[in-house]
Amino acid sequence: MKIQMVNLKDQYLEIKSEIDSAIHNVLDKTDFICGDKVFEFANNLSHYIGSKHCVTCANGTDALQIALMAIDTNPGDEIIVPSFTYIATAEVIALLRLVPVLVDVNYNTFTINADLIERNITEKTKAIIPVHLYGQSAEMEKILKLAEKYNLYVIEDNAQAIGACYKFSNGLKKNTGSLGHIGCTSFYPSKNLGCYGDGGAMFTDDDKIYEKLKMISNHGQIKKYYHSIVGCNSRLDTLQAAILDVKLKYLDDYNLKRIEAAHFYTQNLKTIEEIIVPEEMDYSTHVYHQYTIKVLNNKRDELQRYLEGLNIPSMIYYPVSLENQKAFMGIALKRNNLDVSKQLANSVLSIPMHSELTEDQQKHIIRGIQSFFS
Ligand SMILES: *Cc1c(COP(=O)(O)O)cnc(C)c1O
């Protein structure tokens, strides 16, 4: 049995004729940059997310960078980020000569601990970037309240949670990516909505921010060859937009398959004493970009090697928290200890999760984990 972390080939084969004809339509038109499909897809995606506007760009990292460029900052201003996330979230902050302020995460949800944010806010703080890690929303209600109180921007890193739904305490439901001032996402092939290369997008309800995002991602130009601000070249290819526009129709279905697979894992793994299965919170649905367990008693690496021997792949997202990344030494600030992040880096293990997992594959993975602990 061949088991993969992600299975893009079988997912493609399921919708091959639709994808192939979408690609051929672009080839026929040869409108490779800023073609009609780019705007059609952006429109459909903003409708899906529930935001007024969507601007597509070249990748998820650029989306975060352009979002930060669109809010008013001065070099040295502080941006609050979780210390346990993918490097891109904090990398763009440093790149723009802003200061990432690292805040620890919740042990049970892996997302930024909202109760630690307020003590990290100073006069220099401009924004908070919560990350909806592994597919479940951060504690957005608390974060949005703080942002309002201190007049801060909230930029969501929604690269791993497209399609997740947040529930406010008054019952209001909104998709992640539409909750903050700007939402950012990635279409990296293995993401829940992935293209066949690199891609990304930003969401906003604010007309002024929308105009800025559009300009910045296209050389800061107001019309061709007239540039009113310094921007960059970050666009989604028409080919990728055409592929994404097909796949968007299947996103809910893909997410549902991930959720079903996740629940099957949880049902069968929750009784193992030395692991902790992912927890679903009542304030958010979970779209399981990753199914990530915590392995107790320092047995994570041993379990991973054991599974490898059974041809069961697994990955560590992420083995080093931002605090300990060499690139951030002397750049990132911390005002509190970040012990939970460190603990997670030493205990998390993600097992195969994608929309094409079969029940037999899942059973094989579950038996592998069970046999290690028995
Ligand atoms: C994938 C990812 C990004 C970056 O997206 P790219 O398209 O690879 O640039 C940013 N943040 C998180 C949490 C991600 O998972």
Side-chain angles (χ1 to χ4, degrees):
M1 190 181 304
K2 182 158 163 40
I3 301 178
Q4 300 161 277
M5 281 304 284
V6 287
N7 182 346
L8 300 175
K9 183 68 184 278
D10 285 346
Q11 196 192 50
Y12 162 61
L13 292 177
E14 284 268 317
I15 52 170
K16 183 177 184 320
S17 61
E18 264 185 287
I19 293 279
D20 290 1
S21 83
I23 290 173
H24 277 285
N25 286 340
V26 179
L27 295 180
D28 272 343
K29 285 194 182 168
T30 61
D31 55 351
F32 299 127
I33 301 289
C34 295
D36 292 343
K37 263 291 165 192
V38 175
F39 304 101
E40 248 172 74
F41 167 65
N43 207 27
N44 291 335
L45 187 61
S46 69
H47 196 253
Y48 175 89
I49 288 285
S51 68
K52 189 169 174 193
H53 305 289
C54 169
V55 178
T56 55
C57 64
N59 56 67
T61 309
D62 278 4
L64 290 161
Q65 181 186 323
I66 295 163
L68 280 172
M69 289 167 79
I71 63 171
D72 293 318
T73 60
N74 296 306
D77 281 347
E78 296 175 5
I79 311 291
I80 290 174
V81 281
S83 49
F84 188 70
T85 178
Y86 182 52
I87 195 81
T89 319
E91 189 178 32
V92 294
I93 301 170
L95 195 71
L96 294 171
R97 296 281 178 257
L98 302 167
V99 179
V101 176
L102 307 182
V103 171
D104 213 358
V105 297
N106 293 305
Y107 183 71
N108 59 339
T109 60
F110 311 97
T111 57
I112 191 164
N113 185 338
D115 297 329
L116 299 177
I117 291 177
E118 191 161 16
R119 69 189 73 168
N120 281 283
I121 295 172
T122 70
E123 290 98 77
K124 288 190 161 181
T125 309
K126 287 289 156 67
I128 307 168
I129 310 187
V131 181
H132 308 313
L133 203 70
Y134 303 149
Q136 185 169 235
S137 178
E139 304 169 274
M140 289 304 290
E141 193 157 349
K142 285 185 192 169
I143 293 168
L144 293 170
K145 274 208 187 104
L146 282 173
E148 199 177 326
K149 182 172 168 191
Y150 292 96
N151 202 18
L152 307 175
Y153 287 98
V154 175
I155 299 172
E156 296 172 79
D157 183 342
N158 195 33
Q160 299 193 1
I162 195 158
C165 184
Y166 186 87
K167 194 168 132 203
F168 288 85
S169 48
N170 67 5
L172 175 71
K173 290 179 183 172
K174 285 177 93 176
N175 275 336
T176 56
S178 73
L179 299 160
H181 300 88
I182 308 174
C184 299
T185 202
S186 160
F187 306 122
Y188 185 81
S190 63
K191 300 279 155 90
N192 291 35
L193 177 62
C195 60
Y196 294 173
D198 276 310
M202 298 154 285
F203 307 96
T204 188
D205 286 340
D206 185 307
D207 296 340
K208 281 204 190 103
I209 292 178
Y210 167 65
E211 292 301 331
K212 271 189 147 175
L213 296 173
K214 240 187 351 184
M215 274 204 289
I216 294 166
S217 58
N218 196 17
H219 298 294
Q221 88 186 0
I222 23 168
K223 61 178 185 179
K224 212 165 172 67
Y225 306 124
Y226 291 80
H227 307 270
S228 62
I229 48 176
V230 173
C232 54
N233 174 10
S234 183
R235 296 176 297 230
L236 181 70
D237 293 344
T238 311
L239 277 168
Q240 300 299 349
I243 290 161
L244 286 163
D245 207 38
V246 172
K247 290 187 71 179
L248 178 59
K249 290 184 293 186
Y250 300 102
L251 176 57
D252 284 340
D253 188 40
Y254 292 153
N255 281 344
L256 201 61
K257 285 181 176 158
R258 287 173 180 266
I259 292 165
E260 280 168 5
H263 289 172
F264 190 64
Y265 278 143
T266 293
Q267 202 186 324
N268 287 282
L269 297 175
K270 68 181 179 203
T271 49
I272 299 174
E273 265 171 36
E274 288 185 286
I275 67 180
I276 299 176
V277 295
E279 193 177 335
E280 292 186 12
M281 310 308 285
D282 16 314
Y283 57 74
S284 175
T285 60
H286 198 319
V287 293
Y288 290 99
H289 174 60
Q290 297 299 339
Y291 187 91
T292 304
I293 59 172
K294 288 174 281 239
V295 185
L296 306 180
N297 304 323
N298 282 319
K299 289 189 177 168
R300 192 263 313 270
D301 295 350
E302 206 187 323
L303 171 63
Q304 186 175 39
R305 276 193 301 274
Y306 179 83
L307 293 175
E308 208 179 303
L310 300 174
N311 285 320
I312 299 170
S314 63
M315 295 287 282
I316 299 167
Y317 304 113
Y318 300 93
V320 182
S321 69
L322 294 186
E323 180 188 13
N324 296 307
Q325 293 288 0
K326 198 174 159 206
F328 287 126
M329 300 290 164
I331 290 178
L333 255 183
K334 71 163 190 176
R335 298 198 169 94
N336 299 107
N337 80 61
L338 305 168
D339 293 348
V340 176
S341 300
K342 210 175 295 174
Q343 196 182 351
L344 290 174
N346 289 327
S347 63
V348 290
L349 191 67
S350 299
I351 59 179
M353 175 49 69
H354 51 79
S355 54
E356 314 303 309
L357 266 183
T358 67
E359 198 173 311
D360 280 348
Q361 290 174 327
Q362 283 201 279
K363 283 183 176 159
H364 183 68
I365 295 161
I366 289 163
R367 276 195 299 268
I369 297 173
Q370 284 168 338
S371 68
F372 174 79
F373 288 105
S374 64

